PDB file of all heavy atoms in Angstrom:
ATOM      1  N   LEU A 324     -14.766   4.727 -15.666  1.00 76.00           N
ATOM      2  CA  LEU A 324     -13.861   4.870 -14.533  1.00 76.00           C
ATOM      3  C   LEU A 324     -14.199   3.868 -13.434  1.00 76.00           C
ATOM      4  O   LEU A 324     -15.374   3.611 -13.165  1.00 76.00           O
ATOM      5  CB  LEU A 324     -13.951   6.287 -13.961  1.00 76.00           C
ATOM      6  CG  LEU A 324     -13.419   7.430 -14.827  1.00 76.00           C
ATOM      7  CD1 LEU A 324     -13.687   8.761 -14.140  1.00 76.00           C
ATOM      8  CD2 LEU A 324     -11.940   7.269 -15.102  1.00 76.00           C
ATOM      9  N   SER A 325     -13.169   3.334 -12.813  1.00 76.00           N
ATOM     10  CA  SER A 325     -13.378   2.480 -11.657  1.00 76.00           C
ATOM     11  C   SER A 325     -13.672   3.365 -10.439  1.00 76.00           C
ATOM     12  O   SER A 325     -13.537   4.591 -10.495  1.00 76.00           O
ATOM     13  CB  SER A 325     -12.136   1.637 -11.378  1.00 76.00           C
ATOM     14  OG  SER A 325     -11.064   2.468 -10.980  1.00 76.00           O
ATOM     15  N   ALA A 326     -14.069   2.745  -9.343  1.00 74.00           N
ATOM     16  CA  ALA A 326     -14.338   3.509  -8.126  1.00 74.00           C
ATOM     17  C   ALA A 326     -13.097   4.260  -7.673  1.00 74.00           C
ATOM     18  O   ALA A 326     -13.161   5.427  -7.284  1.00 74.00           O
ATOM     19  CB  ALA A 326     -14.844   2.572  -7.025  1.00 74.00           C
ATOM     20  N   ARG A 327     -11.913   3.597  -7.729  1.00 67.00           N
ATOM     21  CA  ARG A 327     -10.677   4.252  -7.306  1.00 67.00           C
ATOM     22  C   ARG A 327     -10.350   5.417  -8.232  1.00 67.00           C
ATOM     23  O   ARG A 327      -9.967   6.504  -7.783  1.00 67.00           O
ATOM     24  CB  ARG A 327      -9.526   3.255  -7.295  1.00 67.00           C
ATOM     25  CG  ARG A 327      -8.185   3.900  -6.930  1.00 67.00           C
ATOM     26  CD  ARG A 327      -7.035   2.917  -6.931  1.00 67.00           C
ATOM     27  NE  ARG A 327      -7.061   2.070  -5.757  1.00 67.00           N
ATOM     28  CZ  ARG A 327      -7.171   0.766  -5.789  1.00 67.00           C
ATOM     29  NH1 ARG A 327      -7.292   0.153  -6.950  1.00 67.00           N
ATOM     30  NH2 ARG A 327      -7.165   0.050  -4.694  1.00 67.00           N
ATOM     31  N   ASP A 328     -10.488   5.207  -9.565  1.00 69.00           N
ATOM     32  CA  ASP A 328     -10.200   6.282 -10.511  1.00 69.00           C
ATOM     33  C   ASP A 328     -11.129   7.473 -10.295  1.00 69.00           C
ATOM     34  O   ASP A 328     -10.725   8.631 -10.421  1.00 69.00           O
ATOM     35  CB  ASP A 328     -10.346   5.784 -11.950  1.00 69.00           C
ATOM     36  CG  ASP A 328      -9.277   4.781 -12.332  1.00 69.00           C
ATOM     37  OD1 ASP A 328      -8.204   4.817 -11.714  1.00 69.00           O
ATOM     38  OD2 ASP A 328      -9.519   3.964 -13.236  1.00 69.00           O
ATOM     39  N   THR A 329     -12.381   7.189  -9.958  1.00 72.00           N
ATOM     40  CA  THR A 329     -13.335   8.270  -9.711  1.00 72.00           C
ATOM     41  C   THR A 329     -12.925   9.099  -8.508  1.00 72.00           C
ATOM     42  O   THR A 329     -12.952  10.333  -8.535  1.00 72.00           O
ATOM     43  CB  THR A 329     -14.746   7.691  -9.494  1.00 72.00           C
ATOM     44  OG1 THR A 329     -15.127   6.929 -10.645  1.00 72.00           O
ATOM     45  CG2 THR A 329     -15.757   8.799  -9.267  1.00 72.00           C
ATOM     46  N   LEU A 330     -12.507   8.413  -7.435  1.00 65.00           N
ATOM     47  CA  LEU A 330     -12.101   9.129  -6.227  1.00 65.00           C
ATOM     48  C   LEU A 330     -10.820   9.922  -6.424  1.00 65.00           C
ATOM     49  O   LEU A 330     -10.555  10.882  -5.689  1.00 65.00           O
ATOM     50  CB  LEU A 330     -11.938   8.141  -5.073  1.00 65.00           C
ATOM     51  CG  LEU A 330     -13.233   7.499  -4.562  1.00 65.00           C
ATOM     52  CD1 LEU A 330     -12.920   6.435  -3.527  1.00 65.00           C
ATOM     53  CD2 LEU A 330     -14.161   8.552  -3.970  1.00 65.00           C
ATOM     54  N   LEU A 331     -10.012   9.538  -7.417  1.00 63.00           N
ATOM     55  CA  LEU A 331      -8.772  10.246  -7.695  1.00 63.00           C
ATOM     56  C   LEU A 331      -8.916  11.248  -8.832  1.00 63.00           C
ATOM     57  O   LEU A 331      -7.936  11.850  -9.271  1.00 63.00           O
ATOM     58  CB  LEU A 331      -7.654   9.245  -8.025  1.00 63.00           C
ATOM     59  CG  LEU A 331      -7.211   8.352  -6.871  1.00 63.00           C
ATOM     60  CD1 LEU A 331      -6.200   7.323  -7.359  1.00 63.00           C
ATOM     61  CD2 LEU A 331      -6.622   9.180  -5.745  1.00 63.00           C
ATOM     62  N   HIS A 332     -10.140  11.434  -9.317  1.00 62.00           N
ATOM     63  CA  HIS A 332     -10.380  12.411 -10.387  1.00 62.00           C
ATOM     64  C   HIS A 332     -10.103  13.822  -9.844  1.00 62.00           C
ATOM     65  O   HIS A 332     -10.379  14.115  -8.682  1.00 62.00           O
ATOM     66  CB  HIS A 332     -11.827  12.301 -10.875  1.00 62.00           C
ATOM     67  CG  HIS A 332     -12.086  13.079 -12.135  1.00 62.00           C
ATOM     68  ND1 HIS A 332     -12.338  14.431 -12.123  1.00 62.00           N
ATOM     69  CD2 HIS A 332     -12.116  12.684 -13.434  1.00 62.00           C
ATOM     70  CE1 HIS A 332     -12.522  14.850 -13.371  1.00 62.00           C
ATOM     71  NE2 HIS A 332     -12.386  13.815 -14.173  1.00 62.00           N
ATOM     72  N   PRO A 333      -9.545  14.718 -10.682  1.00 59.00           N
ATOM     73  CA  PRO A 333      -9.266  16.084 -10.211  1.00 59.00           C
ATOM     74  C   PRO A 333     -10.464  16.793  -9.605  1.00 59.00           C
ATOM     75  O   PRO A 333     -10.304  17.643  -8.719  1.00 59.00           O
ATOM     76  CB  PRO A 333      -8.804  16.789 -11.501  1.00 59.00           C
ATOM     77  CG  PRO A 333      -8.196  15.702 -12.322  1.00 59.00           C
ATOM     78  CD  PRO A 333      -9.032  14.479 -12.036  1.00 59.00           C
ATOM     79  N   PHE A 334     -11.677  16.468 -10.043  1.00 57.00           N
ATOM     80  CA  PHE A 334     -12.857  17.100  -9.459  1.00 57.00           C
ATOM     81  C   PHE A 334     -12.957  16.793  -7.962  1.00 57.00           C
ATOM     82  O   PHE A 334     -13.413  17.613  -7.172  1.00 57.00           O
ATOM     83  CB  PHE A 334     -14.116  16.602 -10.165  1.00 57.00           C
ATOM     84  CG  PHE A 334     -15.386  17.253  -9.658  1.00 57.00           C
ATOM     85  CD1 PHE A 334     -15.753  18.512 -10.086  1.00 57.00           C
ATOM     86  CD2 PHE A 334     -16.193  16.598  -8.741  1.00 57.00           C
ATOM     87  CE1 PHE A 334     -16.912  19.112  -9.613  1.00 57.00           C
ATOM     88  CE2 PHE A 334     -17.350  17.190  -8.248  1.00 57.00           C
ATOM     89  CZ  PHE A 334     -17.706  18.457  -8.700  1.00 57.00           C
ATOM     90  N   ILE A 335     -12.488  15.594  -7.590  1.00 59.00           N
ATOM     91  CA  ILE A 335     -12.528  15.183  -6.186  1.00 59.00           C
ATOM     92  C   ILE A 335     -11.251  15.601  -5.462  1.00 59.00           C
ATOM     93  O   ILE A 335     -11.281  16.049  -4.317  1.00 59.00           O
ATOM     94  CB  ILE A 335     -12.714  13.654  -6.069  1.00 59.00           C
ATOM     95  CG1 ILE A 335     -14.004  13.220  -6.778  1.00 59.00           C
ATOM     96  CG2 ILE A 335     -12.724  13.216  -4.609  1.00 59.00           C
ATOM     97  CD1 ILE A 335     -15.263  13.766  -6.153  1.00 59.00           C
ATOM     98  N   THR A 336     -10.118  15.436  -6.141  1.00 55.00           N
ATOM     99  CA  THR A 336      -8.828  15.620  -5.465  1.00 55.00           C
ATOM    100  C   THR A 336      -8.274  17.029  -5.572  1.00 55.00           C
ATOM    101  O   THR A 336      -7.170  17.291  -5.097  1.00 55.00           O
ATOM    102  CB  THR A 336      -7.783  14.645  -6.048  1.00 55.00           C
ATOM    103  OG1 THR A 336      -7.581  14.963  -7.441  1.00 55.00           O
ATOM    104  CG2 THR A 336      -8.236  13.211  -5.913  1.00 55.00           C
ATOM    105  N   ARG A 337      -9.020  17.935  -6.217  1.00 52.00           N
ATOM    106  CA  ARG A 337      -8.520  19.295  -6.404  1.00 52.00           C
ATOM    107  C   ARG A 337      -7.978  19.846  -5.082  1.00 52.00           C
ATOM    108  O   ARG A 337      -8.636  19.793  -4.053  1.00 52.00           O
ATOM    109  CB  ARG A 337      -9.632  20.199  -6.930  1.00 52.00           C
ATOM    110  CG  ARG A 337      -9.150  21.623  -7.254  1.00 52.00           C
ATOM    111  CD  ARG A 337     -10.262  22.406  -7.896  1.00 52.00           C
ATOM    112  NE  ARG A 337     -10.674  21.803  -9.150  1.00 52.00           N
ATOM    113  CZ  ARG A 337     -10.037  21.971 -10.305  1.00 52.00           C
ATOM    114  NH1 ARG A 337      -8.955  22.727 -10.349  1.00 52.00           N
ATOM    115  NH2 ARG A 337     -10.476  21.394 -11.405  1.00 52.00           N
ATOM    116  N   PHE A 338      -6.767  20.328  -5.150  1.00 49.00           N
ATOM    117  CA  PHE A 338      -6.069  20.751  -3.936  1.00 49.00           C
ATOM    118  C   PHE A 338      -5.913  22.266  -3.944  1.00 49.00           C
ATOM    119  O   PHE A 338      -5.461  22.854  -4.919  1.00 49.00           O
ATOM    120  CB  PHE A 338      -4.686  20.087  -3.874  1.00 49.00           C
ATOM    121  CG  PHE A 338      -4.101  20.061  -2.505  1.00 49.00           C
ATOM    122  CD1 PHE A 338      -4.168  18.911  -1.742  1.00 49.00           C
ATOM    123  CD2 PHE A 338      -3.486  21.179  -1.968  1.00 49.00           C
ATOM    124  CE1 PHE A 338      -3.618  18.867  -0.473  1.00 49.00           C
ATOM    125  CE2 PHE A 338      -2.943  21.141  -0.699  1.00 49.00           C
ATOM    126  CZ  PHE A 338      -3.011  19.990   0.044  1.00 49.00           C
ATOM    127  N   TYR A 339      -6.302  22.892  -2.861  1.00 47.00           N
ATOM    128  CA  TYR A 339      -6.171  24.335  -2.721  1.00 47.00           C
ATOM    129  C   TYR A 339      -5.015  24.634  -1.784  1.00 47.00           C
ATOM    130  O   TYR A 339      -5.011  24.230  -0.618  1.00 47.00           O
ATOM    131  CB  TYR A 339      -7.470  24.944  -2.193  1.00 47.00           C
ATOM    132  CG  TYR A 339      -8.618  24.740  -3.144  1.00 47.00           C
ATOM    133  CD1 TYR A 339      -9.486  23.677  -2.999  1.00 47.00           C
ATOM    134  CD2 TYR A 339      -8.796  25.611  -4.213  1.00 47.00           C
ATOM    135  CE1 TYR A 339     -10.528  23.477  -3.894  1.00 47.00           C
ATOM    136  CE2 TYR A 339      -9.839  25.426  -5.114  1.00 47.00           C
ATOM    137  CZ  TYR A 339     -10.699  24.364  -4.944  1.00 47.00           C
ATOM    138  OH  TYR A 339     -11.726  24.163  -5.837  1.00 47.00           O
TER     139      TYR A 339
END
Side-chain angles (χ1 to χ4, degrees):
L324 292 176
S325 66
R327 177 181 284 119
D328 292 335
T329 302
L330 291 174
L331 293 175
H332 191 278
F334 182 80
I335 302 295
T336 63
R337 184 174 298 279
F338 200 100
Y339 297 95

